[in-house]
Amino acid sequence: MRYAIVVHGGAGGTSPEAEQGCRRAAQAGAKALRGGGSSLDAAVAAVQWMEDSGRFNAGAGAVLRLDGATIETDAAVATSAGLQGVVGAVRDVRNPVLLARAVAQETPHFMLTGEGASALAKALGLAPHPGPSARALERYRALREAIARGDASLLGAGWSEPMAAKLMGLLGGDEGQVPHEGDTVGAVALDSAGMFAVASSTGGARAMLLGRIGDVPFRRCGYQVGVLGGVAATGIGEEIMRREGAGKVYQLLEMGLVPQAACEAVVKLFPVNVSVGFIALTGDGVGVAANCPMATHAIVKG
Ligand code: ASP
């Protein structure tokens, strides 16, 4: 394989628009690879494309927290050459994936969160967040309505009705009725030098308190990368962390499973009511599996 990239648009929902977005993002990544860029350039370019599109729950399209006013995002980049940078609960940044890359390449740190991460973005001149998209506002209204009804089913795995009832005081905004999709983004790429890279970015999963950080910035949970390949996870972050999802997929690759079989096996470890999906890439091929709709696109040059 000369180079390859696979991207996902999140576990939990898909549409022709999301499928097209994944194709365009994969093309942006493949363009970087064709031009001699590294797998890191490619994975970041794909994720940045999706963050900018506003169509996905990442970057410009990220959903609101329960307060109805705040966007907090998580992102990660990592390569098989040992580079790693992650950010959590970052406000006011349009492209958290660029900030994660900056943490890796322009600081001695591995993870930055909250205020400090936003301050670094400002110091580096990264674009500020444009504010909640129309879709993010619609989703928030739907969530708020579900909580007002005491209906925990729309809130995502882990939320019970008594918990939902206690949330009322944390809410803001109006009521509405739009179902939530989990359409966060990730990419895994391989370059002609044999280096793998993973990049992921998310506005989070369903109902989230301020300060909540999901699986995305945690190695072996939201992502894993090594000399054998790379893995990115999507779905309910708490459940992915509980089971160390991406790490388990990678372990199966180490045991000799092909990426498709490894992704499918780990999806089966999750209850069916917990949306989850994985993408994986090795020198031998691509794996894509989810227990719910998930937009993906892969480009492989052999
Ligand atoms: N895993 C992400 C999170 O929990 C959300 C997603 O992938 O849809 O933050």
Side-chain angles (χ1 to χ4, degrees), residues 29-63:
K31 186 171 166 205
L33 290 164
R34 266 198 314 278
S38 67
S39 52
L40 177 65
D41 295 331
V44 169
V47 167
Q48 187 183 354
W49 191 95
M50 291 194 274
E51 287 179 341
D52 282 337
S53 77
R55 164 60 187 81
F56 296 94
N57 174 15
V63 297

mmCIF file of all heavy atoms in Angstrom, residues 29-63:
data_model
loop_
_atom_site.group_PDB
_atom_site.id
_atom_site.type_symbol
_atom_site.label_atom_id
_atom_site.label_comp_id
_atom_site.label_asym_id
_atom_site.label_seq_id
_atom_site.Cartn_x
_atom_site.Cartn_y
_atom_site.Cartn_z
ATOM 1 N N GLY A 29 -7.574 14.648 2.839
ATOM 2 C CA GLY A 29 -6.445 13.927 3.413
ATOM 3 C C GLY A 29 -5.580 13.291 2.337
ATOM 4 O O GLY A 29 -4.339 13.361 2.380
ATOM 5 N N ALA A 30 -6.236 12.673 1.332
ATOM 6 C CA ALA A 30 -5.490 12.003 0.254
ATOM 7 C C ALA A 30 -4.679 13.019 -0.539
ATOM 8 O O ALA A 30 -3.559 12.724 -0.994
ATOM 9 C CB ALA A 30 -6.449 11.251 -0.655
ATOM 10 N N LYS A 31 -5.224 14.224 -0.676
ATOM 11 C CA LYS A 31 -4.506 15.282 -1.408
ATOM 12 C C LYS A 31 -3.186 15.594 -0.692
ATOM 13 O O LYS A 31 -2.134 15.739 -1.328
ATOM 14 C CB LYS A 31 -5.394 16.528 -1.477
ATOM 15 C CG LYS A 31 -4.829 17.630 -2.327
ATOM 16 C CD LYS A 31 -5.851 18.718 -2.520
ATOM 17 C CE LYS A 31 -5.158 19.950 -3.084
ATOM 18 N NZ LYS A 31 -5.860 21.175 -2.774
ATOM 19 N N ALA A 32 -3.264 15.673 0.627
ATOM 20 C CA ALA A 32 -2.037 15.932 1.401
ATOM 21 C C ALA A 32 -1.032 14.796 1.180
ATOM 22 O O ALA A 32 0.171 15.040 0.974
ATOM 23 C CB ALA A 32 -2.379 16.069 2.884
ATOM 24 N N LEU A 33 -1.525 13.566 1.175
ATOM 25 C CA LEU A 33 -0.617 12.416 1.017
ATOM 26 C C LEU A 33 0.008 12.406 -0.389
ATOM 27 O O LEU A 33 1.210 12.148 -0.543
ATOM 28 C CB LEU A 33 -1.375 11.108 1.258
ATOM 29 C CG LEU A 33 -1.789 10.856 2.713
ATOM 30 C CD1 LEU A 33 -2.839 9.761 2.792
ATOM 31 C CD2 LEU A 33 -0.561 10.492 3.555
ATOM 32 N N ARG A 34 -0.792 12.700 -1.388
ATOM 33 C CA ARG A 34 -0.284 12.731 -2.780
ATOM 34 C C ARG A 34 0.776 13.799 -2.950
ATOM 35 O O ARG A 34 1.749 13.616 -3.668
ATOM 36 C CB ARG A 34 -1.434 13.050 -3.748
ATOM 37 C CG ARG A 34 -2.100 11.843 -4.343
ATOM 38 C CD ARG A 34 -2.906 12.222 -5.588
ATOM 39 N NE ARG A 34 -3.732 13.418 -5.421
ATOM 40 C CZ ARG A 34 -4.942 13.427 -4.850
ATOM 41 N NH1 ARG A 34 -5.464 12.307 -4.425
ATOM 42 N NH2 ARG A 34 -5.623 14.554 -4.736
ATOM 43 N N GLY A 35 0.572 14.898 -2.247
ATOM 44 C CA GLY A 35 1.521 16.011 -2.351
ATOM 45 C C GLY A 35 2.777 15.787 -1.517
ATOM 46 O O GLY A 35 3.562 16.718 -1.340
ATOM 47 N N GLY A 36 2.949 14.625 -0.968
ATOM 48 C CA GLY A 36 4.160 14.335 -0.197
ATOM 49 C C GLY A 36 4.019 14.633 1.286
ATOM 50 O O GLY A 36 4.988 14.552 2.041
ATOM 51 N N GLY A 37 2.796 14.985 1.713
ATOM 52 C CA GLY A 37 2.575 15.249 3.138
ATOM 53 C C GLY A 37 2.627 13.955 3.944
ATOM 54 O O GLY A 37 2.530 12.850 3.392
ATOM 55 N N SER A 38 2.754 14.101 5.247
ATOM 56 C CA SER A 38 2.818 12.931 6.125
ATOM 57 C C SER A 38 1.404 12.450 6.448
ATOM 58 O O SER A 38 0.408 13.153 6.192
ATOM 59 C CB SER A 38 3.518 13.308 7.423
ATOM 60 O OG SER A 38 2.707 14.224 8.145
ATOM 61 N N SER A 39 1.322 11.280 7.062
ATOM 62 C CA SER A 39 0.009 10.784 7.501
ATOM 63 C C SER A 39 -0.592 11.730 8.543
ATOM 64 O O SER A 39 -1.811 11.877 8.628
ATOM 65 C CB SER A 39 0.130 9.363 8.061
ATOM 66 O OG SER A 39 1.132 9.311 9.048
ATOM 67 N N LEU A 40 0.259 12.391 9.318
ATOM 68 C CA LEU A 40 -0.250 13.367 10.292
ATOM 69 C C LEU A 40 -0.917 14.538 9.559
ATOM 70 O O LEU A 40 -2.039 14.939 9.897
ATOM 71 C CB LEU A 40 0.882 13.875 11.189
ATOM 72 C CG LEU A 40 0.478 14.938 12.197
ATOM 73 C CD1 LEU A 40 -0.499 14.378 13.229
ATOM 74 C CD2 LEU A 40 1.705 15.517 12.900
ATOM 75 N N ASP A 41 -0.235 15.055 8.519
ATOM 76 C CA ASP A 41 -0.837 16.137 7.725
ATOM 77 C C ASP A 41 -2.193 15.688 7.172
ATOM 78 O O ASP A 41 -3.159 16.445 7.157
ATOM 79 C CB ASP A 41 0.057 16.504 6.531
ATOM 80 C CG ASP A 41 1.394 17.083 6.956
ATOM 81 O OD1 ASP A 41 1.461 17.702 8.033
ATOM 82 O OD2 ASP A 41 2.382 16.901 6.205
ATOM 83 N N ALA A 42 -2.223 14.448 6.696
ATOM 84 C CA ALA A 42 -3.444 13.948 6.039
ATOM 85 C C ALA A 42 -4.584 13.787 7.040
ATOM 86 O O ALA A 42 -5.713 14.225 6.781
ATOM 87 C CB ALA A 42 -3.148 12.606 5.370
ATOM 88 N N ALA A 43 -4.308 13.154 8.173
ATOM 89 C CA ALA A 43 -5.376 12.931 9.162
ATOM 90 C C ALA A 43 -5.886 14.273 9.683
ATOM 91 O O ALA A 43 -7.093 14.478 9.861
ATOM 92 C CB ALA A 43 -4.866 12.050 10.302
ATOM 93 N N VAL A 44 -4.968 15.200 9.920
ATOM 94 C CA VAL A 44 -5.372 16.526 10.417
ATOM 95 C C VAL A 44 -6.173 17.273 9.345
ATOM 96 O O VAL A 44 -7.200 17.896 9.645
ATOM 97 C CB VAL A 44 -4.139 17.340 10.877
ATOM 98 C CG1 VAL A 44 -4.506 18.799 11.136
ATOM 99 C CG2 VAL A 44 -3.543 16.715 12.136
ATOM 100 N N ALA A 45 -5.733 17.179 8.072
ATOM 101 C CA ALA A 45 -6.459 17.882 7.000
ATOM 102 C C ALA A 45 -7.888 17.348 6.892
ATOM 103 O O ALA A 45 -8.844 18.116 6.728
ATOM 104 C CB ALA A 45 -5.730 17.718 5.665
ATOM 105 N N ALA A 46 -8.053 16.037 7.003
ATOM 106 C CA ALA A 46 -9.397 15.438 6.896
ATOM 107 C C ALA A 46 -10.278 15.912 8.047
ATOM 108 O O ALA A 46 -11.430 16.322 7.849
ATOM 109 C CB ALA A 46 -9.290 13.918 6.895
ATOM 110 N N VAL A 47 -9.742 15.863 9.252
ATOM 111 C CA VAL A 47 -10.540 16.258 10.420
ATOM 112 C C VAL A 47 -10.826 17.760 10.393
ATOM 113 O O VAL A 47 -11.939 18.206 10.700
ATOM 114 C CB VAL A 47 -9.833 15.821 11.720
ATOM 115 C CG1 VAL A 47 -10.455 16.479 12.940
ATOM 116 C CG2 VAL A 47 -9.908 14.299 11.855
ATOM 117 N N GLN A 48 -9.832 18.532 9.980
ATOM 118 C CA GLN A 48 -10.053 19.984 9.892
ATOM 119 C C GLN A 48 -11.170 20.291 8.885
ATOM 120 O O GLN A 48 -12.000 21.172 9.116
ATOM 121 C CB GLN A 48 -8.755 20.693 9.492
ATOM 122 C CG GLN A 48 -8.896 22.198 9.565
ATOM 123 C CD GLN A 48 -7.647 22.957 9.103
ATOM 124 O OE1 GLN A 48 -6.602 22.343 8.828
ATOM 125 N NE2 GLN A 48 -7.775 24.256 8.999
ATOM 126 N N TRP A 49 -11.165 19.545 7.792
ATOM 127 C CA TRP A 49 -12.230 19.767 6.792
ATOM 128 C C TRP A 49 -13.595 19.551 7.448
ATOM 129 O O TRP A 49 -14.531 20.338 7.272
ATOM 130 C CB TRP A 49 -12.038 18.821 5.592
ATOM 131 C CG TRP A 49 -12.937 19.193 4.460
ATOM 132 C CD1 TRP A 49 -12.622 19.986 3.393
ATOM 133 C CD2 TRP A 49 -14.330 18.850 4.314
ATOM 134 N NE1 TRP A 49 -13.730 20.156 2.592
ATOM 135 C CE2 TRP A 49 -14.788 19.475 3.135
ATOM 136 C CE3 TRP A 49 -15.229 18.104 5.061
ATOM 137 C CZ2 TRP A 49 -16.095 19.352 2.670
ATOM 138 C CZ3 TRP A 49 -16.556 17.989 4.612
ATOM 139 C CH2 TRP A 49 -16.969 18.603 3.432
ATOM 140 N N MET A 50 -13.707 18.483 8.225
ATOM 141 C CA MET A 50 -15.003 18.181 8.849
ATOM 142 C C MET A 50 -15.344 19.193 9.947
ATOM 143 O O MET A 50 -16.506 19.569 10.113
ATOM 144 C CB MET A 50 -15.007 16.743 9.359
ATOM 145 C CG MET A 50 -15.004 15.752 8.201
ATOM 146 S SD MET A 50 -15.401 14.048 8.658
ATOM 147 C CE MET A 50 -13.819 13.467 9.122
ATOM 148 N N GLU A 51 -14.338 19.642 10.683
ATOM 149 C CA GLU A 51 -14.590 20.687 11.697
ATOM 150 C C GLU A 51 -15.109 21.965 11.035
ATOM 151 O O GLU A 51 -16.016 22.617 11.541
ATOM 152 C CB GLU A 51 -13.296 21.027 12.436
ATOM 153 C CG GLU A 51 -12.820 19.973 13.415
ATOM 154 C CD GLU A 51 -11.501 20.346 14.102
ATOM 155 O OE1 GLU A 51 -10.772 21.225 13.576
ATOM 156 O OE2 GLU A 51 -11.190 19.763 15.138
ATOM 157 N N ASP A 52 -14.509 22.321 9.890
ATOM 158 C CA ASP A 52 -14.893 23.570 9.220
ATOM 159 C C ASP A 52 -16.266 23.481 8.568
ATOM 160 O O ASP A 52 -16.933 24.500 8.384
ATOM 161 C CB ASP A 52 -13.858 23.931 8.140
ATOM 162 C CG ASP A 52 -12.607 24.546 8.739
ATOM 163 O OD1 ASP A 52 -12.683 25.086 9.868
ATOM 164 O OD2 ASP A 52 -11.538 24.474 8.089
ATOM 165 N N SER A 53 -16.661 22.258 8.179
ATOM 166 C CA SER A 53 -17.900 22.106 7.407
ATOM 167 C C SER A 53 -19.126 22.541 8.218
ATOM 168 O O SER A 53 -20.138 22.938 7.637
ATOM 169 C CB SER A 53 -18.077 20.662 6.954
ATOM 170 O OG SER A 53 -18.522 19.867 8.041
ATOM 171 N N GLY A 54 -19.059 22.438 9.533
ATOM 172 C CA GLY A 54 -20.222 22.780 10.356
ATOM 173 C C GLY A 54 -21.280 21.686 10.330
ATOM 174 O O GLY A 54 -22.282 21.757 11.042
ATOM 175 N N ARG A 55 -21.055 20.664 9.511
ATOM 176 C CA ARG A 55 -22.051 19.602 9.353
ATOM 177 C C ARG A 55 -21.941 18.542 10.452
ATOM 178 O O ARG A 55 -22.881 17.818 10.721
ATOM 179 C CB ARG A 55 -21.859 18.965 7.955
ATOM 180 C CG ARG A 55 -22.538 17.630 7.749
ATOM 181 C CD ARG A 55 -24.051 17.763 7.938
ATOM 182 N NE ARG A 55 -24.721 16.460 7.907
ATOM 183 C CZ ARG A 55 -24.803 15.616 8.927
ATOM 184 N NH1 ARG A 55 -24.220 15.887 10.080
ATOM 185 N NH2 ARG A 55 -25.459 14.491 8.811
ATOM 186 N N PHE A 56 -20.761 18.453 11.049
ATOM 187 C CA PHE A 56 -20.514 17.394 12.024
ATOM 188 C C PHE A 56 -20.460 17.977 13.441
ATOM 189 O O PHE A 56 -20.286 19.186 13.618
ATOM 190 C CB PHE A 56 -19.190 16.685 11.694
ATOM 191 C CG PHE A 56 -19.231 15.978 10.368
ATOM 192 C CD1 PHE A 56 -18.778 16.620 9.214
ATOM 193 C CD2 PHE A 56 -19.726 14.694 10.258
ATOM 194 C CE1 PHE A 56 -18.832 15.980 7.980
ATOM 195 C CE2 PHE A 56 -19.785 14.047 9.035
ATOM 196 C CZ PHE A 56 -19.335 14.693 7.891
ATOM 197 N N ASN A 57 -20.581 17.078 14.409
ATOM 198 C CA ASN A 57 -20.490 17.512 15.806
ATOM 199 C C ASN A 57 -19.013 17.623 16.196
ATOM 200 O O ASN A 57 -18.488 16.819 16.964
ATOM 201 C CB ASN A 57 -21.246 16.523 16.694
ATOM 202 C CG ASN A 57 -21.072 16.828 18.161
ATOM 203 O OD1 ASN A 57 -20.627 17.916 18.537
ATOM 204 N ND2 ASN A 57 -21.400 15.868 19.004
ATOM 205 N N ALA A 58 -18.369 18.611 15.625
ATOM 206 C CA ALA A 58 -16.943 18.871 15.865
ATOM 207 C C ALA A 58 -16.643 20.264 15.349
ATOM 208 O O ALA A 58 -17.271 20.708 14.382
ATOM 209 C CB ALA A 58 -16.081 17.855 15.113
ATOM 210 N N GLY A 59 -15.709 20.944 15.968
ATOM 211 C CA GLY A 59 -15.314 22.269 15.483
ATOM 212 C C GLY A 59 -16.510 23.195 15.347
ATOM 213 O O GLY A 59 -17.316 23.354 16.276
ATOM 214 N N ALA A 60 -16.667 23.796 14.158
ATOM 215 C CA ALA A 60 -17.721 24.795 13.943
ATOM 216 C C ALA A 60 -19.122 24.229 14.183
ATOM 217 O O ALA A 60 -20.044 24.975 14.512
ATOM 218 C CB ALA A 60 -17.614 25.357 12.527
ATOM 219 N N GLY A 61 -19.309 22.911 14.034
ATOM 220 C CA GLY A 61 -20.647 22.313 14.205
ATOM 221 C C GLY A 61 -20.884 21.696 15.571
ATOM 222 O O GLY A 61 -21.906 21.039 15.770
ATOM 223 N N ALA A 62 -19.971 21.894 16.500
ATOM 224 C CA ALA A 62 -20.060 21.197 17.797
ATOM 225 C C ALA A 62 -21.341 21.542 18.556
ATOM 226 O O ALA A 62 -21.821 22.678 18.497
ATOM 227 C CB ALA A 62 -18.846 21.541 18.655
ATOM 228 N N VAL A 63 -21.872 20.557 19.274
ATOM 229 C CA VAL A 63 -23.129 20.744 20.019
ATOM 230 C C VAL A 63 -22.893 21.531 21.309
ATOM 231 O O VAL A 63 -21.757 21.691 21.767
ATOM 232 C CB VAL A 63 -23.785 19.382 20.370
ATOM 233 C CG1 VAL A 63 -24.161 18.633 19.109
ATOM 234 C CG2 VAL A 63 -22.887 18.543 21.272
#
